[in-house]
Amino acid sequence: MRVLVAEDERMIADAVVAGLRAETMTADVAYTGAAALTLLAAGDYDVLVLDRDLPGVHGDEICRAVAGSVRVLMLTALGGVHDRIAGLALGADDYLPKPFVFAELVARVRALGRRSGPADPPVLRRGDLSLDSAHRQVFRAGRYVPLARKEYGVLAVLLRARGGVVSAEELLEKVWDEQTDPFTNTVRTTMMKLRRKLGEPAVIETVPGVGYRLL
């Protein structure tokens, strides 16, 4: 899941982004309304966590502009009933007043992410590989395979592709954040580690000049 957090209070924004990444989501941050619009125009986000009172371009204006194209969770200190009604009327899909419990924010973001596209089955399978998304566990032929967060994310994208080829650029977009250098070799390095942990026989094929796929 790819999430954009638009929040001008940097401590809150950075904490939310770090927490979402720890939950295996790809998360970017914008501290102003203008920066949020720039990222939204360039990236394919599933969920926007949006503070209403952003500097420059107000959160209400952003919500109006993107409603229908991305799921919007308003996260704001304006928590009265009339404020919530007004936010939902602008096109927001959900509304969470501050202060909030992080676990609830994660649950709401996940729920919105499920609504942004077809839901994954609880367990993704291909051959003797299985990925349990609820518990973030991977097994091969019944053997538990401990994976780092990015390795898990890469495998999940490959499993969702159902044998289709996934480019390195697509992996960067879906598993890493917006700040990642597109010319980095991080995808290749992560793929090497993932292959080693999954063991033999090899299940990930490199398609020269195109990308990767599961056999």
Side-chain angles (χ1 to χ4, degrees), residues 71-186:
R71 299 293 182 180
V72 179
L73 169 61
M74 279 193 168
L75 181 66
T76 173
L78 302 172
V81 173
H82 294 297
D83 296 312
R84 296 198 296 273
I85 292 172
L88 295 172
L90 289 167
D93 298 279
D94 200 356
Y95 200 108
L96 183 62
K98 300 175 184 175
F100 58 91
V101 176
F102 183 72
E104 182 181 3
L105 183 144
V106 170
R108 289 173 181 263
V109 168
R110 288 197 185 281
L112 290 178
R114 288 193 294 271
R115 289 164 56 186
S116 69
D120 285 334
V123 179
L124 296 171
R125 303 181 189 276
R126 187 168 181 85
D128 62 359
L129 273 177
S130 64
L131 183 148
D132 182 341
S133 57
H135 301 93
R136 295 200 293 279
Q137 293 180 332
V138 172
F139 295 87
R140 182 166 190 197
R143 173 180 64 88
Y144 172 64
V145 182
L147 297 181
R149 184 160 52 95
K150 297 303 184 187
E151 296 160 2
Y152 176 93
V154 166
L155 182 59
V157 173
L158 291 174
L159 282 165
R160 292 186 190 109
R162 296 180 174 87
V165 178
V166 181
S167 68
E169 291 77 13
E170 185 177 352
L171 288 170
L172 274 174
E173 179 180 329
K174 291 184 175 180
V175 181
W176 280 265
D177 58 67
E178 184 265 342
Q179 301 298 325
T180 304
D181 182 354
F183 300 104
T184 183
N185 66 351
T186 187

Side-chain angles (χ1 to χ4, degrees), residues 20-44:
L20 293 177
R21 289 174 180 171
E23 293 290 328
T24 71
M25 301 182 204
T26 300
D28 298 325
V29 64
Y31 302 114
T32 67
L37 287 176
T38 298
L39 290 172
L40 286 164
D44 185 16

